[in-house]
């Protein structure tokens, strides 16, 4: 829910790692190639992996993918 709210309100954030400032990117953990392979060869593990990726999205710095961004 907070991911959607930050996108709508356009709050500004700063990354302490690379000093980037702006609106964070929404990042899904894992790898899309692994997800595709699981769907092709194993349907049930592919479904589980896809649900995990979608449920674990987080906001991060678009440059360095650091999760520890700070609102300014």
């Amino acid at each position: 829910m907070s991911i959607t709210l930050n996108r709508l309100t356009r709050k500004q954030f700063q990354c302490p790692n690379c000093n980037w400032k702006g609106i964070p990117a929404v990042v899904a953990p894992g790898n899309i190639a692994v997800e595709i392979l699981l769907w092709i060869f194993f349907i049930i593990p592919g479904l589980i992996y896809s649900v995990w990726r979608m449920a674990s999205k987080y906001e991060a710095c678009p440059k360095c993918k650091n999760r520890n961004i700070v609102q300014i």
Side-chain angles (χ1 to χ4, degrees):
M1 185 70 174
S2 67
I3 293 172
T4 310
L5 290 177
N6 287 338
R7 283 283 192 207
L8 293 175
T9 58
R10 300 287 189 205
K11 294 180 182 177
Q12 294 291 311
F13 290 82
Q14 181 174 6
C15 175
N17 193 29
C18 67
N19 291 326
W20 164 87
K21 292 180 183 176
I23 299 170
V26 178
V27 179
N31 190 332
I32 189 70
V34 171
E35 184 174 3
I36 292 169
L37 285 173
L38 285 172
W39 271 105
I40 292 172
F41 295 111
F42 312 104
I43 293 180
I44 300 299
L47 176 65
I48 294 169
Y49 191 77
S50 294
V51 169
W52 170 75
R53 285 191 75 219
M54 294 303 113
S56 300
K57 286 183 180 179
Y58 60 92
E59 289 183 330
C61 172
K63 282 188 174 180
C64 66
K65 305 295 185 226
N66 182 14
R67 283 185 171 196
N68 300 325
I69 53 176
V70 182
Q71 185 176 351
I72 54 175

